[in-house]
Amino acid sequence: MFYRLLSIARRRRTSPGWQNWSLARSNTSTAEAHSITLPAQAQVVICGGGIMGTSVAYHLSKMGWTDIVLLEQGRLAAGSTRFCAGILSTARQLTIEQKMADYSNRLYHQLEQETGIQTGYIRTGSIFLAQTQDRLISLKRINSSLNVTGIPSEIISPKKVAELYPLLNVHDLVGAMHVPEDAVVSSADVALALASAASQNGVQIYDRTTILHIMVKKGQVTGVETDKGQIECQYFVNCAGQWAYELGLSNEEPVSIPLHACEHFYLLTRPLETPLQSNTPTIVDADGRIYIRNWQGGILSGGFEKNPKPIFTEGKNQLEIQNLQEDWDHFEPLLSSLLRRMPELETLEIMKLVNCPETFTPDMRCIMGESPVVQGYFVLAGMNSAGLSFGGGAGKYLAEWMVHGYPSENVWDLDLKRFGALQSSRTFLRHRVMEVMPLIYDLKVPRWDFQTGRQLRTSPLYDRLDAQGARWMEKHGFERPKYFVPPDKDLLALEQSKTFYKPDWFDIVEAEVKCCKEAVCVIDMSSFTKFEITSTGDQALEILQYLFSNDLDVPVGHIVHTGMLNEGGGYENDCSIARLSKRSFFMISPTDQQVHCWAWLKKHMPKDNNLLLEDVTWKYTALNLIGPRAVDVLSELSYAPMTPDHFPTLFCKEMSVGYANGIRVMSMTHTGEPGFMLYIPIEYALHVYNEVMNVGQKYGIRNAGYYALRSLRIEKFFAFWGQDLNTLTTPLECGRESWVKLEKGMDFIGREALLQQKQNGVYKRFTMFILDDHDTDLDLWPWWGEPIFRNGQYVGKTTSSAYSYTLERHVCLGFVHNFSEDSVEEEVVTTDFINRGEYEIDIAGHRFQAKAKLYPVTSLFAHKRRKDDVELSDLQGK
């Protein structure tokens, strides 16, 4: 079939670019292949002729970039694209992944008409089976998200499953989700069609050409070195699939691309006695760990086993992916699951067991974006067995990124810069993908954590806290305490409890929150990103004034909450900056901003030897001392008055704490509660912690974790970057206009966009929702990503949520849009629009009434009231 499709594709030889491709076709002799002359220069060079590389080429050419060369080391579509099972599924956990898959579905549907190349596209629909109630809840959450995204889906009964697919055994099912517009398609044909269209637009394509390394000068791509010569270029795109990791390391300046291959198995059968119809639905039985689709009247079935087999850890393998060795013993559990689901297949003849490599990433999300260390070096790889589903959308977003400087959607969850070099250890990747591959079909309840690659980055206090009952979560490789288990709790039961309902740690976190409000708690927040910017003159202040939206020309010792914005006014970073001296600033950012923030600053800061940017994250342990008695603890340890009269809010001062000097003490807590952040040189960390705990005993001190922090910050309407804020949200949309120096006449990145937005109005507003009719003990909990409805109409999704132990209600945060029923365009969201609506939050298909309020909230916590007495109408919005 592959060669037949190549012959069809060759009929499209109507441009020089397509002729270059066909000249190097699969039956060309080695001598002829080596005689090809590559162009001396191009604007863009793409490595990889699979579905990712051809999609990027296709979309760049559609956007007007045609000076492009695509290089493939083997034959086009002969890598993992060739062995793809051909299932296009839009049912994904993340909204951005749903959008990518939905776009791919629409693109592939019309590709044959556009190019004349048959792609084998058939709309079959998919049925996702649920053997347990928890699986059904998970499907209901996805179903709600799909519906508001515009993708048809519905929850159906086992009886309906049997009607749609009579061959299935449904006796153990509790329900299912039907997505009728999902499809199957030939992935190799799609890649060839995309290549054909790109070639028609002027893209030059060469196969059997190996890239040896990328040439870099002063941190910028300058060209590529191949086995057939050099090509000068401004942009390079690494779409090398399983070879992307090693290609990244081969550069003159290495680019870290954390992915690793595993063996992936599926079988092919002869046609059934009554061959399956071409539009037979695809089945995903995640509890059974298998998928099933029609294949030429028979069955194609594979899955994601619990004990995957990582491969090629040692290095690069063959140019083209061959069918790896069969392993029936390894496949047996999946085969047994298939036969339980379709007993009639017992006597069906199996043609082949396919074994091919698939690449996986450390967090099950694909990798895209520009390298943080080499400008002009872009990556699109690591598809976690979803390359066909994501190929069209991912190629579109990366092309937008290259052409416009940013994609049209928030893709932070997929951005290469979410990783650091620490995730690129071969041992780490090998162990992590052995966990990731089974997780694709594992039930993922809220707040689950990876178990491999742990204790990689730890605070100096890790062992001390662990001995006191800390339970850990991981962020950017850093261990952070979730909560602390009291001695009388059943630890094993607590660790194994996973639920969409009220969690077992509820009472533990309640006690920590209560202590934060009534006494004093200490939270280790050492993982926060910490930078110092210094200069010999005024250079530091001048560049920071341009890069940040708030005024940083404040007296020494003052702290400023500010944002680092892009040209569209969106948040590239949300941080706090303390002015340590006239020429020195201390910047605190979210943990996972370390790589992204560093790259943004380095990209925009001038090359000036008198200006220094230093990452000091590892130099300081950070302790958050929260609660009304924090002032007493710190006063006693420092022999200095710490009351607001002597130490005002948002103030920073170097002090002695216990025997330790040079502790940066800041009057802020990231929660809205009173207290202090202590930034402690790591050699003093254990001493200061011990002193704080010893002195704090008389004030009721205890350890607390990030779950308590989350509850406190959400009930105080504090937005966090990466959860609530991203590159497409602006300060004006979040009620943060007072944090922006718009009226001071100073230029800064994003100023023009904000001025325009202030004049025209905002099209979404950050809003707090307090659930009214929700039973904390019996109802499903909101976590994040729940659809928001206003007067019955969908207006947005929640970005984060937590139970407020003060209000005794759930609080959700999210953005409200104004989707007009009469227009495809969004309309301005006014304060009146927010206040006059009746709101509901959809949790797995059940809608709960909610009260909506805007930032800032002023009177909710003025005095303690019982739940039944809380008058939410007292909240003041602006």
Side-chain angles (χ1 to χ4, degrees), residues 78-282:
S80 57
T81 295
R82 171 186 171 196
F83 285 96
C84 174
I87 298 170
L88 198 162
S89 171
T90 54
R92 303 288 166 179
Q93 296 279 350
L94 295 180
T95 299
I96 185 62
E97 292 180 343
Q98 292 175 4
K99 291 181 177 181
M100 286 196 302
D102 185 44
Y103 174 83
S104 298
N105 198 354
R106 289 182 280 114
L107 173 66
Y108 303 161
H109 182 59
Q110 58 85 40
L111 203 54
E112 183 173 332
Q113 181 179 356
E114 178 183 348
T115 65
I117 296 176
Q118 296 179 13
T119 61
Y121 181 96
I122 302 174
R123 183 160 286 173
T124 61
S126 297
I127 303 174
F128 296 80
L129 309 181
Q131 296 182 30
T132 67
Q133 288 297 331
D134 276 346
R135 178 69 68 181
L136 187 59
I137 290 169
S138 178
L139 292 177
K140 286 179 178 180
R141 289 179 62 88
I142 296 173
N143 181 69
S144 294
S145 182
L146 289 174
N147 286 333
V148 298
T149 307
I151 301 171
S153 68
E154 63 174 336
I155 299 298
I156 60 175
S157 66
K159 181 180 178 180
K160 181 66 175 179
V161 172
E163 293 174 3
L164 292 171
Y165 207 123
L167 291 177
L168 290 186
N169 175 7
V170 300
H171 80 277
D172 60 343
L173 301 183
V174 297
M177 179 176 70
H178 183 213
V179 187
E181 294 187 1
D182 279 358
V184 296
V185 66
S186 168
S187 53
D189 298 359
V190 168
L192 293 174
L194 291 169
S196 171
S199 181
Q200 291 291 317
N201 292 331
V203 175
Q204 300 180 68
I205 301 174
Y206 301 86
D207 63 4
R208 301 195 182 280
T209 304
T210 301
I211 292 178
L212 304 176
H213 70 272
I214 313 306
M215 298 181 290
V216 178
K217 186 176 181 180
K218 296 181 179 179
Q220 172 72 47
V221 168
T222 60
V224 300
E225 177 79 32
T226 80
D227 60 350
K228 296 183 176 64
Q230 293 185 357
I231 305 176
E232 294 181 2
C233 62
Q234 300 168 253
Y235 299 91
F236 173 73
V237 188
N238 185 339
C239 296
Q242 65 173 312
W243 299 289
Y245 173 89
E246 287 193 301
L247 181 59
L249 296 183
S250 70
N251 309 329
E252 295 174 4
E253 189 163 349
V255 173
S256 174
I257 306 169
L259 50 79
H260 196 290
C262 284
E263 296 182 26
H264 179 59
F265 298 86
Y266 61 81
L267 60 78
L268 302 171
T269 76
R270 299 285 182 189
L272 277 69
E273 184 175 345
T274 302
L276 293 178
Q277 297 296 311
S278 61
N279 63 348
T280 300
T282 294

Side-chain angles (χ1 to χ4, degrees), residues 263-267 285-292 301-307 327-341 353 437 441:
E263 296 182 26
H264 179 59
F265 298 86
Y266 61 81
L267 60 78
D285 183 2
D287 294 313
R289 315 198 72 83
I290 58 169
Y291 57 81
I292 308 165
S301 179
F304 299 97
E305 62 273 23
K306 291 184 177 181
N307 57 331
D327 189 340
W328 283 103
D329 289 339
H330 188 79
F331 188 73
E332 193 278 333
L334 299 182
L335 178 59
S336 297
S337 184
L338 171 63
L339 294 177
R340 282 194 299 272
R341 187 59 56 205
L353 179 64
M437 188 172 169
Y441 275 178

Side-chain angles (χ1 to χ4, degrees), residues 647-813:
F647 209 107
T649 301
L650 296 179
F651 190 72
C652 173
K653 183 179 180 181
E654 285 202 354
M655 301 174 58
S656 298
V657 178
Y659 296 152
N661 290 318
I663 312 301
R664 292 176 181 172
V665 179
M666 302 184 184
S667 50
M668 57 182 284
T669 64
H670 303 284
T671 65
E673 301 296 330
F676 303 90
M677 286 293 304
L678 279 60
Y679 288 91
I680 310 160
I682 56 171
E683 62 267 32
Y684 300 145
L686 193 56
H687 167 75
V688 172
Y689 173 78
N690 288 337
E691 290 295 294
V692 166
M693 295 303 287
N694 289 336
V695 171
Q697 291 301 316
K698 70 183 74 171
Y699 303 110
I701 197 168
R702 67 178 293 166
N703 292 298
Y706 273 79
Y707 284 10
L709 182 82
R710 181 184 183 90
S711 176
L712 291 168
R713 74 96 177 166
I714 288 178
E715 72 178 17
K716 291 294 180 67
F717 212 159
F718 279 27
F720 269 25
W721 197 95
Q723 298 176 41
D724 310 301
L725 309 178
N726 58 52
T727 56
L728 298 180
T729 56
T730 74
L732 274 61
E733 295 164 348
C734 307
R736 292 183 169 195
E737 189 173 339
S738 60
W739 294 10
V740 181
K741 53 195 175 194
L742 278 178
E743 308 305 327
K744 294 194 175 183
M746 303 179 195
D747 190 26
F748 60 90
I749 297 178
R751 182 173 186 269
E752 291 303 316
L754 294 186
L755 287 173
Q756 190 71 33
Q757 191 177 58
K758 186 175 182 180
Q759 178 179 339
N760 297 339
V762 298
Y763 291 88
K764 60 183 177 185
R765 279 184 181 264
F766 193 48
T767 309
M768 171 190 276
F769 299 93
I770 299 95
L771 297 191
D772 259 357
D773 58 345
H774 184 272
D775 189 313
T776 304
D777 295 318
L778 300 178
D779 290 327
L780 290 168
W781 275 33
W783 297 100
W784 58 273
E786 290 85 12
I788 304 167
F789 290 86
R790 177 187 181 274
N791 297 343
Q793 182 182 0
Y794 170 70
V795 291
K797 287 185 177 179
T798 63
T799 53
S800 58
S801 65
Y803 183 78
S804 168
Y805 294 95
T806 307
L807 297 175
E808 298 181 8
R809 301 186 187 189
H810 260 98
V811 176
C812 302
L813 308 181

Side-chain angles (χ1 to χ4, degrees), residues 429-482:
L429 288 171
R430 181 180 177 87
H431 291 175
R432 176 56 67 85
V433 299
M434 291 176 70
E435 179 182 10
V436 162
M437 188 172 169
L439 276 170
I440 290 177
Y441 275 178
D442 279 353
L443 182 67
K444 290 173 281 294
V445 299
R447 311 281 176 89
W448 60 271
D449 300 296
F450 288 107
Q451 301 303 309
T452 53
R454 297 296 297 269
Q455 299 183 38
L456 189 59
R457 303 173 75 192
T458 60
S459 158
L461 305 177
Y462 178 85
D463 289 338
R464 185 88 162 82
L465 300 179
D466 194 59
Q468 297 179 76
R471 295 285 72 92
W472 301 94
M473 59 193 287
E474 176 257 330
K475 187 80 165 179
H476 200 58
F478 224 118
E479 296 293 330
R480 312 200 302 182
K482 297 186 289 189

